[in-house]
């Protein structure tokens, strides 16, 4: 979990390590990345540090006004940073398709895709497409976005000779959902909805997607890796829908169990830029080190149902 009991792992980093520390001395010039998420917290820090290392960053957010404020803050610190803001609502498949089409027609390259956005412990609600909101935002939006951008990533990797990297956010809570796992036939079952189990279900789906994507990319012989990561316990807007969760984060912070935002963004930046993970794919990272996945996350039959392409 981190805190006073944190120790460095094989990578040389721990839960105390920050995004700047895990990318220190790395030159990301000439590389383009898309980072999804809210206009604060981990997205802002991930974007800032990638831009600091020379990466051309596209911050893909629902609130573009807030995104522009983050961009201006980055440019104040790093005047020559390359940062752009684009609109995307991951809970809407129409919005995802619109963004995907616009980016694909732009002629821009894409080396890294950091799927960071997430909705946590939210009360039951259906998306515009009629799917439980956490599953729609955390999984369906990202899986469609990945599908739409994958050909550009393949082309970029082939032409630039730079390994493409896909980073998906998951959670250490992924084994703690419904006993049946994802429960595809009960995604929208409001009567049996449990906001915590539903969150864990979406995080399990993220892991299964990552592992199946790895299998397919390796089969194609494409130089693109896909890994997932647990950001750690961080008091960000992800807990805004749940008073109990917010209180839990607050109490945990008193005992030095929570991470700061720079520490929470570390693993995403590590997976995107650090040369230690070159060629590594299908792994689940915690504190910039390989962690343990549940047996369900590696279930091949589950993967066929979870991955929609």
């Amino acid at each position: 979990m981190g805190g006073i009991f944190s120790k460095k792992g094989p990578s040389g980093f721990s839960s105390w390590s920050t995004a700047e520390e895990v990318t220190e001395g790395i030159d990301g010039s000439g590389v383009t990345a898309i980072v999804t998420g809210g206009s604060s917290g981990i997205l802002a820090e991930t974007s800032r540090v990638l831009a600091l290392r020379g990466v051309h960053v596209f911050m893909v957010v629902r609130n573009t006004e807030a995104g522009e404020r983050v961009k201006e803050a980055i440019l104040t610190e790093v005047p020559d940073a390359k940062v752009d803001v684009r609109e995307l609502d991951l809970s809407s498949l129409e919005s995802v398709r619109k963004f995907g089409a616009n980016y694909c027609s732009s002629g821009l390259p894409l080396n890294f895709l950091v799927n960071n956005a997430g909705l946590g412990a939210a009360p039951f609600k259906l998306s515009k497409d009629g799917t439980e909101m956490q599953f729609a935002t955390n999984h369906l939006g990202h899986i469609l976005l990945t599908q739409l951008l994958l050909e550009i990533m393949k082309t970029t990797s082939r032409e630039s000779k730079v390994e493409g990297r896909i980073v998906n956010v998951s959670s250490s809570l992924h084994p703690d959902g419904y006993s049946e796992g994802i429960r595809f036939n009960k995604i929208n079952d409001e009567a049996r909805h449990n906001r915590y189990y539903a969150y864990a279900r979406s995080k399990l789906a993220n892991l299964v997607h990552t592992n199946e994507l790895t299998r397919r990319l390796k089969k194609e012989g494409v130089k693109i890796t896909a890994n997932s990561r647990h950001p750690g316990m961080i008091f960000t807007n992800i807990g805004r829908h749940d008073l109990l969760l917010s209180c839990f984060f607050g109490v945990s912070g008193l005992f030095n169990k929570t991470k700061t935002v720079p520490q929470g963004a570390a693993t995403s930046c590590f997976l995107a830029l650090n040369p230690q993970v070159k060629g590594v794919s299908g792994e689940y990272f915690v504190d910039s080190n390989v962690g343990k996945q549940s047996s369900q996350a590696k279930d091949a039959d589950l993967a066929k149902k979870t991955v929609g392409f």
Side-chain angles (χ1 to χ4, degrees), residues 1-3 5-17 22 228-234 257 259 263-264 266-268 270-271 284-291:
M1 186 66 70
F5 302 106
S6 175
K7 294 182 180 180
K8 291 184 178 180
S11 68
F13 303 114
S14 71
S15 64
W16 283 2
S17 301
V22 302
S228 55
R229 55 95 182 174
H230 168 58
M233 191 184 298
I234 310 161
K257 289 294 184 180
K259 286 186 176 185
Q263 291 167 346
T267 305
S268 286
F270 176 79
L271 290 173
Y284 166 63
F285 281 77
V286 181
D287 300 333
S288 300
N289 290 279
V290 175

Side-chain angles (χ1 to χ4, degrees), residues 78-94:
V78 190
D80 59 347
K82 296 180 180 179
V83 183
D84 288 281
V85 178
R86 295 290 187 271
E87 183 178 6
L88 172 62
D89 179 358
L90 280 160
S91 71
S92 167
L93 298 182
E94 179 183 2

Side-chain angles (χ1 to χ4, degrees), residues 178-253:
Y178 299 102
S179 58
E180 312 98 302
I182 295 177
R183 304 197 321 169
F184 291 98
N185 61 333
K186 298 177 182 177
I187 296 291
N188 296 337
D189 186 353
E190 183 176 4
R192 295 184 61 192
H193 178 78
N194 179 301
R195 63 174 70 185
Y196 308 106
Y197 288 175
Y199 175 73
R201 169 177 60 196
S202 70
K203 298 294 99 180
L204 173 61
N206 294 151
L207 268 172
V208 173
H209 167 217
T210 305
N211 293 334
E212 176 62 13
L213 182 59
T214 292
R215 186 190 69 80
R216 298 186 184 195
L217 291 172
K218 285 183 176 180
K219 186 177 180 180
E220 288 185 46
V222 180
K223 290 186 178 180
I224 299 175
T225 63
N227 291 291
S228 55
R229 55 95 182 174
H230 168 58
M233 191 184 298
I234 310 161
F235 191 35
T236 64
N237 284 337
I238 195 169
R240 65 188 180 276
H241 297 287
D242 190 84
L243 179 60
L244 178 62
L245 190 62
S246 295
C247 291
F248 176 70
F249 277 117
V251 173
S252 297

